[in-house]
């Protein structure tokens, strides 16, 4: 399969779209220092070329997805939900998933039989979460049709035209990784996996082989990983190692630690890209679209703030998508307390850092410049030929 980053391509109808609704690990956070990547726990949505909908994990991001589905014009939802394991950050969104309370909807759940829960493990997880005194209503309030399928590592099953292959990962009390093969490309979801076991490391390598998108646990830095052995998580460096060995095309760092600020994740991403260029840090609202020729990546724009039209001259330094350093003069056209929109002749890489030096519009000395660092969240066609509009969030 040919591959490229087609930011402005006209995507075919035959696409698979992967949306990130929750990317945090262990526990959700609302700390302001984490708002850019997001504080909700694990939940992804994959729409397949044949119109199928797969939901990967049920963390607090599931609530946001449920609200979006409930507000859609087509109110009927039929989805397949793959649950990697039963730790809180992967199931805690279930009671707050609005579509489960509507009788016209249908959900097919897949996960493994836990040695601690026995038969119908996932169904029992549902019941336990909503039992008194932990939740105001019990399972009977959920009127949607639900069925549960036990799967184990090494299983293979189909959902429409999509093939799903499972594999055991190295995590306390068990965890499944999923390889999802669609007609336009392969997505591998392998969160909550600790390196160091030869058996599980081989499993992960086979699961990731040649994937177009490889989503991997990167909760810890390599240094933090040494002091968290037995917790069942990984680092960006281990993800890069697997990505290179398995020949994947895109590595997505996932399951960010609840204590990792946006600035910390920026540094992790920068380190990982130094060894594997096509690396992305998962962010709430991020969408990756696969067609037969390209992988398109859209990063959520900055949160709305006080905005003003502006005309500040600025000098921008950064790196293009091909990794070449550039420096050019431009004008800040639109400025907010969070970020700016600028037009450039060079096209920087999404989730890369830019240095922006503006002529100080205040009462400073003539020629004095205001130096800021920005993070690229959007790229779009500019008003002039060969120009691109670049949306940035100021980070410091």
């Amino acid at each position: 399969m040919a591959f490229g980053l087609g930011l402005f391509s006209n995507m075919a109808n035959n696409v698979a779209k992967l949306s990130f609704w929750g990317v945090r690990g262990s526990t959700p956070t609302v700390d302001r220092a984490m708002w850019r990547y997001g504080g909700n726990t694990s939940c992804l949505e994959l729409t397949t070329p044949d119109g199928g909908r797969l939901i990967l994990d049920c963390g607090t991001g599931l609530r946001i997805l449920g609200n979006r589905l409930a507000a859609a014009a087509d109110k009927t939802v039929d989805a397949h939900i793959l649950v990697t394991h039963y730790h809180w950050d992967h199931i805690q969104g279930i009671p707050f998933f609005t579509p489960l309370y509507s009788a016209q909807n249908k959900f097919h759940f897949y996960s493994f039989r836990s040695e601690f829960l026995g038969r119908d493990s996932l169904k029992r997880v549902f019941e336990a979460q909503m039992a008194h005194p932990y939740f105001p209503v019990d399972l009977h309030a959920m009127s949607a049709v639900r069925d549960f399928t036990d799967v184990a590592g090494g299983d293979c099953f189909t959902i429409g035209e999509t093939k799903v292959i499972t594999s055991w990962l190295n995590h306390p009390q068990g965890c499944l990784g999923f390889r999802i093969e669609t007609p336009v490309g392969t997505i591998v979801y392998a969160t909550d996996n600790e390196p160091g076991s030869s058996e599980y490391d081989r499993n992960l390598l086979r699961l990731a082989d040649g994937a177009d998108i490889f989503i991997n646990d990167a909760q810890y830095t390599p240094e933090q990983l040494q002091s968290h052995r037995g917790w069942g998580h990984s680092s960006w460096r281990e993800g890069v190692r697997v990505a290179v060995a398995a020949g994947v095309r895109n590595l997505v760092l996932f399951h960010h630690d609840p204590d990792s600020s946006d600035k910390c994740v920026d540094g992790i991403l920068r380190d990982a890209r130094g060894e594997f260029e096509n690396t992305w840090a998962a962010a709430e609202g991020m969408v990756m679209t696969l067609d037969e020729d390209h992988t398109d990546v859209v990063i959520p724009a900055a949160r709305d703030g006080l905005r003003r039209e502006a005309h500040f001259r600025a000098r921008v330094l950064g790196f293009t998508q091909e990794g070449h350093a550039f420096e050019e003069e431009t004008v800040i056209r639109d400025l907010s307390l969070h970020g700016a929109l600028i037009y450039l002749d060079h096209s920087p890489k999404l989730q890369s850092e830019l240095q922006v030096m503006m002529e100080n519009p205040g009462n400073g000395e003539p020629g004095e410049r205001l130096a800021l660092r920005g993070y690229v969240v959007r790229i779009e066609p500019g008003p002039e030929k060969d120009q691109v509009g670049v949306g940035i969030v100021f980070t410091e």
Side-chain angles (χ1 to χ4, degrees), residues 95-111:
F96 304 96
F97 186 48
T98 301
L100 279 171
Y101 295 87
S102 298
Q104 74 269 24
N105 297 330
K106 185 171 184 179
F107 297 96
H108 316 265
F109 288 87
Y110 306 79
S111 198

Side-chain angles (χ1 to χ4, degrees), residues 18 20 44 169 177-179 186-191 193 201 203-217 234-254 276 278-280 282 288 290 295:
L18 182 67
F20 293 76
L44 288 74
L169 302 178
F178 296 101
R179 179 182 176 90
T186 296
I187 298 99
V188 171
Y189 181 54
T191 186
N193 181 72
D201 289 351
N203 286 351
L204 183 59
L205 196 59
R206 285 194 297 267
L207 198 71
D209 185 41
D212 296 281
I213 299 172
F214 173 46
I215 303 154
N216 193 55
D217 189 299
S234 189
S235 73
W236 67 262
R237 180 166 290 152
E238 294 296 331
V240 165
R241 182 185 61 78
V242 175
V244 171
V248 307
R249 294 170 173 81
N250 285 276
L251 168 64
V252 180
L253 306 177
F254 187 75
F276 190 81
N278 275 351
T279 302
W280 310 90
M288 304 183 78
L290 279 173
T295 298

Side-chain angles (χ1 to χ4, degrees), residues 42-359:
S42 303
C43 182
L44 288 74
E45 176 195 21
L46 175 66
T47 55
T48 57
D50 61 355
R53 174 175 281 114
L54 280 67
I55 297 172
L56 310 177
D57 272 333
C58 300
T60 56
L62 185 69
R63 181 183 68 86
I64 313 300
L65 170 57
N67 292 343
R68 181 68 62 87
L69 293 175
D74 182 3
K75 299 289 186 180
T76 301
V77 182
D78 189 338
H80 298 261
I81 302 181
L82 312 181
V83 179
T84 58
H85 63 302
Y86 304 120
H87 289 163
W88 281 118
D89 51 328
H90 295 259
I91 62 170
Q92 62 197 155
I94 290 173
F96 304 96
F97 186 48
T98 301
L100 279 171
Y101 295 87
S102 298
Q104 74 269 24
N105 297 330
K106 185 171 184 179
F107 297 96
H108 316 265
F109 288 87
Y110 306 79
S111 198
F112 62 92
R113 180 180 298 189
S114 166
E115 63 177 293
F116 304 99
L117 297 172
R119 187 176 178 183
D120 296 326
S121 291
L122 186 53
K123 185 177 180 181
R124 294 180 65 181
V125 164
F126 264 69
E127 294 168 347
Q129 271 203 99
M130 301 182 69
H132 302 311
Y134 307 116
F135 203 72
V137 297
D138 63 22
L139 200 59
H140 292 95
M142 289 185 172
S143 55
V145 177
R146 306 179 303 277
D147 60 55
F148 300 88
T149 301
D150 284 344
V151 294
D155 285 354
C156 177
F157 55 97
T158 57
I159 299 172
E161 297 177 357
T162 298
K163 182 165 74 170
V164 180
I165 300 168
T166 65
S167 181
W168 291 118
L169 302 178
N170 189 20
H171 194 68
Q173 294 99 51
C175 183
L176 287 174
F178 296 101
R179 179 182 176 90
I180 304 166
E181 298 179 352
T182 79
V184 295
T186 296
I187 298 99
V188 171
Y189 181 54
T191 186
D192 293 65
N193 181 72
E194 182 172 323
S197 163
S198 57
E199 177 187 355
Y200 290 115
D201 289 351
R202 285 194 299 270
N203 286 351
L204 183 59
L205 196 59
R206 285 194 297 267
L207 198 71
D209 185 41
D212 296 281
I213 299 172
F214 173 46
I215 303 154
N216 193 55
D217 189 299
Q219 177 153 344
Y220 301 129
T221 64
E223 295 74 24
Q224 289 171 333
L225 181 58
Q226 299 308 311
S227 59
H228 286 83
R229 292 293 179 185
W231 289 68
H233 297 291
S234 189
S235 73
W236 67 262
R237 180 166 290 152
E238 294 296 331
V240 165
R241 182 185 61 78
V242 175
V244 171
V248 307
R249 294 170 173 81
N250 285 276
L251 168 64
V252 180
L253 306 177
F254 187 75
H255 209 271
H256 308 311
D257 191 87
D259 291 326
S260 290
S261 66
D262 291 333
K263 190 172 182 179
C264 178
V265 178
D266 288 344
I268 288 171
L269 175 61
R270 186 164 51 247
D271 289 342
R273 278 187 171 169
E275 298 186 18
F276 190 81
E277 178 62 25
N278 275 351
T279 302
W280 310 90
E284 284 183 31
M286 186 168 87
V287 177
M288 304 183 78
T289 306
L290 279 173
D291 64 21
E292 294 181 348
D293 299 306
H294 300 92
T295 298
D296 287 287
V297 183
V298 176
I299 307 295
R303 293 183 177 181
D304 291 336
L306 179 63
R307 306 194 69 83
R308 291 289 185 269
E309 291 186 3
H311 195 87
F312 300 147
R313 295 192 60 82
R315 183 159 56 97
V316 178
L317 294 81
F319 291 87
T320 67
Q321 295 180 39
E322 295 77 24
H324 304 305
F326 72 87
E327 178 178 340
E328 68 172 279
E329 301 288 330
T330 187
V331 173
I332 302 290
R333 306 285 185 177
D334 182 303
L335 183 68
S336 79
L337 298 179
H338 294 304
L341 174 65
I342 57 179
Y343 297 119
L344 298 175
D345 297 328
H346 298 84
S347 180
K349 191 178 183 71
L350 283 169
Q351 292 191 319
S352 68
E353 185 180 82
L354 297 179
Q355 295 182 55
V356 181
M357 286 171 284
M358 293 189 293
E359 292 183 358

